[in-house]
Amino acid sequence: MRLPAWERSHAVGASPTPETLEYRMRRRIGMLAAATAGIVAVLAAPAPAQALGHDDPLKRKATFYVEPDGNAARQAEIWAAEGRDDDAAHMRALSKVSQAVWFTGGTPAEVRAAVRRTMVGAARQHAVPVLVAYYVPGRDCSQYSAGGAANEAAYRAWIDAFARGIGGAPAVVIVEPDGLALLSSEPWCNEGGGGTTGTPEDPARVDERFREINYAVDTLQRLPRTGVYVDSGHSDWQPLDDYDAGYGEPRAQLGMASRLLKGGIAKADGFALNVSNYRATDELVAYGTRLSKCLRFRQTTGAAGCSDADLATVPDDPRKLTHFVLDTSRNGQGPWTPPAGQYSDPQVWCNPPGRGLGYRPSTRTGDPLVDAFLWIKRPGESDGQCTRGTAGPEDPEYGAVDPAAGAWWAEYALGLSQRAVPPLR
């Protein structure tokens, strides 16, 4: 080991005076004691809810990336040419609001290149892009948004490439919408056995899903400037605690807290609520706060659930609670209340009529647990071809067949803009 200069000078030749040795010894002992005390204090301090290990892209007033040539911008040009000036103005206003960029397929090389293009565009704007990773095997229980990787190994390769596309630039990633809230164990899900398939449920599929989400969180969390938020359904879906579904097999289902804990929430920046849904912001904040407190209670006590009394014991300390983001893209009017008794399955989540845009994307949320309002679902893109329990194929609310999931629906986008709360224009 190479000694400091003053130690080298005294290692040979005349010995230093006793006073000098004593001073230096005391100084070094004092420094060691102070350092030891600091380490002890750090070890004794309560651990924060999330150990980020990277820069937080939302810690300051973030500017979010806006795609320069999206569906709304193109629609504005079409309607302007047709003389629909007011409608075109709505689309121009919509085109200027940041929306998440979804990645739903492709080979590893293709997704890496696509993510990289988005990152380059965001860098030109000095902005933070919001990216959605949506490729988990068995996606959406093979419903309207069916698809995903062929198997776990293919998914890992895809996520690795997704992360390489981001690199060291700032980004926010929403990990797998419905990936935890919608497991193959749901009694009505026909993915992986169970449900109405006539074959037993395969519990290994649920374990696989948890491994996949954990792998995505671990991989993305290693990036130096990426915020990772795990999708967690919404406030009118999964309860906090494990529950009995009351029908089907298996009847026993995991609550949202268990799903997040098994899905690696402790390693993420937080969770995301209301992706592609319409629940009201106040309701979401209340649910998200309860979910965050339930996670904290279970992490610190080892309990299997959390009652209202348990939640009341958890301090309102944002440094120790898991944070979350909200999708406010289409919740300005709140959820739809369908006509009583009209539909056997009203599908309130699927292109409901009369909805409006919600709060614009911002890190100024007014709540210390809510890191950002984001437009994760892209307003104007269809939720799917809804039939509301009828024989279809028409959606009875519109008298026509809805566009396929993810397809642009200009008139629906216009309605969202016209009924925006707060107003878009």
Side-chain angles (χ1 to χ4, degrees):
M1 180 177 70
R2 184 174 176 81
L3 298 174
W6 70 268
E7 291 189 5
R8 294 201 307 274
S9 69
H10 295 302
V12 293
S15 298
T17 64
E19 293 82 1
T20 303
L21 278 173
E22 181 180 7
Y23 170 77
R24 287 171 176 154
M25 287 291 289
R26 286 180 177 176
R27 183 171 181 269
R28 296 184 73 184
I29 291 170
M31 292 171 64
L32 178 61
T36 303
I39 293 171
V40 170
V42 169
L43 292 175
Q50 312 303 118
L52 300 183
H54 58 70
D55 290 342
D56 181 2
L58 298 179
K59 65 183 176 183
R60 290 181 288 272
K61 183 183 176 183
T63 298
F64 294 110
Y65 171 60
V66 178
E67 288 184 288
D69 185 31
N71 288 319
R74 291 191 292 270
Q75 194 65 51
E77 294 179 1
I78 293 170
W79 280 346
E82 295 174 352
R84 296 175 59 174
D85 295 339
D86 190 64
D87 297 344
H90 273 285
M91 291 300 99
R92 277 192 292 272
L94 179 58
S95 71
K96 296 176 182 177
V97 182
S98 171
Q99 302 171 28
V101 183
W102 290 58
F103 299 89
T104 63
T107 66
E110 288 168 343
V111 74
R112 178 183 180 182
V115 172
R116 174 52 52 186
R117 284 194 295 272
T118 299
M119 299 304 297
V120 169
R124 291 189 181 120
Q125 296 180 10
H126 303 286
V128 177
V130 179
L131 315 175
V132 181
Y134 192 47
Y135 196 54
V136 75
R139 185 176 69 198
D140 198 34
C141 265
S142 298
Q143 299 184 103
Y144 293 146
S145 297
N151 52 50
E152 185 176 357
Y155 182 68
R156 289 186 174 216
W158 191 87
I159 283 292
D160 288 343
F162 186 103
R164 288 194 295 272
I166 296 173
V172 172
V173 178
I174 308 301
V175 176
E176 297 299 339
D178 299 346
L180 292 179
L182 184 55
L183 298 174
S184 64
S185 61
E186 312 293 338
W188 52 267
C189 178
N190 294 326
E191 182 73 25
T196 59
T197 64
T199 60
E201 175 65 34
D202 181 3
R205 293 296 295 272
V206 175
D207 294 336
E208 177 188 322
R209 175 64 59 83
F210 288 133
R211 289 196 305 270
E212 290 157 352
I213 300 299
N214 269 276
Y215 187 83
V217 171
D218 290 339
T219 302
L220 295 164
Q221 195 69 13
R222 287 194 290 268
L223 298 174
R225 302 173 71 188
T226 296
V228 182
Y229 293 84
V230 182
D231 184 78
S232 306
H234 57 76
S235 49
D236 194 43
W237 195 348
Q238 298 291 353
L240 302 188
D241 286 343
D242 300 354
Y243 63 99
D244 182 343
Y247 73 101
E249 288 296 337
R251 288 177 54 158
Q253 295 293 316
L254 296 173
M256 202 63 240
S258 291
R259 297 177 190 224
L260 280 172
L261 291 170
K262 289 177 178 289
I265 188 62
K267 301 172 288 186
D269 293 73
F271 55 89
L273 292 174
N274 203 47
V275 174
S276 300
N277 215 280
Y278 302 82
R279 308 309 299 184
T281 298
D282 289 347
E283 175 189 303
L284 292 165
V285 171
Y287 174 81
T289 301
R290 286 172 55 81
L291 179 54
S292 182
K293 287 188 171 185
C294 185
L295 292 171
R296 182 65 177 175
F297 180 79
R298 291 186 56 177
Q299 288 169 322
T300 55
T301 67
C306 44
S307 65
D308 287 344
D310 295 331
L311 297 179
T313 68
V314 180
D316 294 314
D317 187 346
R319 297 171 301 173
K320 300 177 182 178
L321 295 175
T322 305
H323 290 208
F324 51 98
V325 295
L326 303 180
D327 184 352
T328 57
S329 59
R330 306 183 299 174
N331 74 343
Q333 296 286 344
W336 177 49
T337 301
Q342 186 167 340
Y343 302 121
S344 60
D345 179 9
Q347 296 180 305
V348 296
W349 52 270
C350 192
N351 300 327
R355 302 309 90 200
L357 304 172
Y359 287 123
R360 308 299 103 84
S362 176
T363 56
R364 295 182 176 181
T365 66
D367 191 291
L369 287 184
V370 183
D371 286 346
F373 297 143
L374 302 173
W375 280 15
I376 302 173
K377 172 68 175 182
R378 299 162 69 85
E381 292 188 359
S382 175
D383 294 314
Q385 295 178 324
C386 325
T387 58
R388 311 193 192 281
T390 67
E394 294 84 3
D395 183 339
E397 283 297 310
Y398 303 101
V401 177
D402 297 348
W408 173 247
W409 188 356
E411 296 298 336
Y412 196 84
L414 178 61
L416 290 170
S417 180
Q418 291 170 333
R419 294 182 290 270
V421 178
L424 187 60
R425 296 176 57 207

